[in-house]
Amino acid sequence: MVLPRYSTTPVDAVLSRMRALDAALPERDGLAVFNRVYLTVTEEVDRRLDAGEFPDPCAAAALDVRFAERYLAAVDAGEDDRRPPACWRPLFQLRRHPGVTPLQFALAGINAHIGHDLALAVVDTCRALGCEPADLEDEFDRVGELLTALEERIREDLMPGPDLLQIADPITHLLGSWSLERARDATWSAARVLWALRHCGDVAEEFAVRLDAAVGFAGRMLLTPLRD
């Protein structure tokens, strides 16, 4: 399947690409499940930008776009038969597995995007704007609060009902081991470390590779098939 590509970087451009993905992918596809979640987040960020709810709208828009570009680059790699970052590989490999639930797909995508992409997006934005991570902390926190609220709604909407307790029990156990709040805290620390190491060449690259691998490992656990 050939999917449309984006060539500009405003929020409208990344929203357009995510909407195109939503229209092109089968509803049950694991990537489609996450894409719907992320589209909702990005539309809400865009709405809040228009409403003037961010202290620094320029910084917030820059972070939002660079954050989205990391995800869309992973999609491009997957569609072009290139290797996406390790954090995204479990979702791409298992996206059509019948034993993985929509809730697992959604949270595995959030894990990849928050645990890895957001840290690198903070560094990308600091380079672009000539600022320090501390200058983006308010924007980081506001986006994080939005994601936390959305995650709670996702769990409520996608958790199997009481008639499927044989599935829900292992899901409750599995997903109880992962926390968006802890992932956000770790991501902020990782972003600060990556920024501090930005002139350290191989050390910075090794840290980023290890971060990618660790987030990918967590994602693979979240996607453990729970039914045939």
Side-chain angles (χ1 to χ4, degrees), residues 23-41:
L25 294 171
E27 182 178 358
R28 182 60 176 76
D29 183 292
L31 181 61
V33 173
F34 169 73
N35 188 77
R36 287 193 296 273
V37 170
Y38 191 32
L39 175 58
T40 299
V41 172

Side-chain angles (χ1 to χ4, degrees), residues 79-135:
E79 294 299 330
D80 292 342
D81 293 324
R82 294 179 284 113
R83 283 170 67 83
C87 62
W88 285 105
R89 286 175 210 157
L91 182 57
F92 278 81
Q93 291 165 355
L94 296 169
R95 59 194 281 189
R96 297 179 182 89
H97 197 298
V100 180
T101 68
L103 177 58
Q104 290 174 270
F105 286 135
L107 295 186
I110 292 172
N111 170 71
H113 203 37
I114 296 294
H116 173 263
D117 294 354
L118 184 53
L120 273 64
V122 169
V123 174
D124 292 342
T125 306
C126 287
R127 290 184 186 278
L129 299 183
C131 65
E132 298 283 327
D135 299 319

